Amino acid sequence: MAKRTTFLSDFKAFINKGNVVDLAVAVIIAGAFGKVVNTTVKLIMSNALEPALEKANVQSLEQLPGGEIIVATINFIVIAFACFIVVRVVEKMKRQEEVVESSKPDPQSQLASAITRLTEVMEERSS
């Protein structure tokens, strides 16, 4: 008879399968990072463009025609650049690990070499 599963056990299996929790944490952190970037871009752009904004009689960049699109585009560029930097650093660390691992001697080849030397020594002693 097949084992019956419950909704709760299926859900637990789903959560434990793959990296669902890791993905959820990444999404939450990305959301928080997006808010920080958005606030920073608004602050910097508002201060940098303050004279132009005063001439246009608006309080913030979003009040300009297409202002929200400009802010969203700048946010995208900043977040994409930050992701690029993180990925680049991680790839560099992986390459360094690969170099270290490739410079280590292969245990199988060392064992094979040791066995060959042992066999040669034993043959010399027996003759």
Side-chain angles (χ1 to χ4, degrees):
M1 187 186 273
K3 182 180 177 184
R4 293 189 61 175
T5 60
T6 64
F7 179 79
L8 199 53
S9 66
D10 288 344
F11 181 71
K12 183 180 176 183
F14 169 75
I15 291 296
N16 290 328
K17 185 195 295 186
N19 295 327
V20 175
V21 175
D22 293 341
L23 180 61
V25 169
V27 168
I28 292 168
I29 290 174
F33 181 69
K35 290 178 183 178
V36 169
V37 169
N38 188 34
T39 304
T40 304
V41 167
K42 283 181 184 177
L43 178 68
I44 292 172
M45 294 303 290
S46 294
N47 288 333
L49 299 175
E50 189 173 359
L53 293 174
E54 287 177 0
K55 287 182 182 178
N57 291 327
V58 293
Q59 297 291 327
S60 68
L61 190 60
E62 287 89 7
Q63 293 177 344
L64 289 173
E68 289 183 18
I69 294 173
I70 294 169
V71 171
T73 303
I74 294 170
N75 287 348
F76 173 76
I77 292 170
V78 170
I79 291 172
F81 183 72
C83 289
F84 169 74
I85 296 297
V86 168
V87 168
R88 189 169 178 185
V89 168
V90 169
E91 286 178 353
K92 185 176 181 182
M93 289 179 1
K94 283 183 180 179
R95 282 192 300 266
Q96 288 174 347
E97 287 176 4
E98 289 173 0
V99 168
V100 169
E101 287 183 11
S102 66
S103 66
K104 291 181 183 177
D106 182 27
Q108 287 184 334
S109 64
Q110 283 183 324
L111 182 59
S113 171
I115 290 172
T116 304
R117 285 192 309 257
L118 180 61
T119 305
E120 290 172 356
V121 168
M122 291 178 73
E123 286 176 357
E124 286 175 9
R125 286 190 180 176
S126 65
S127 34

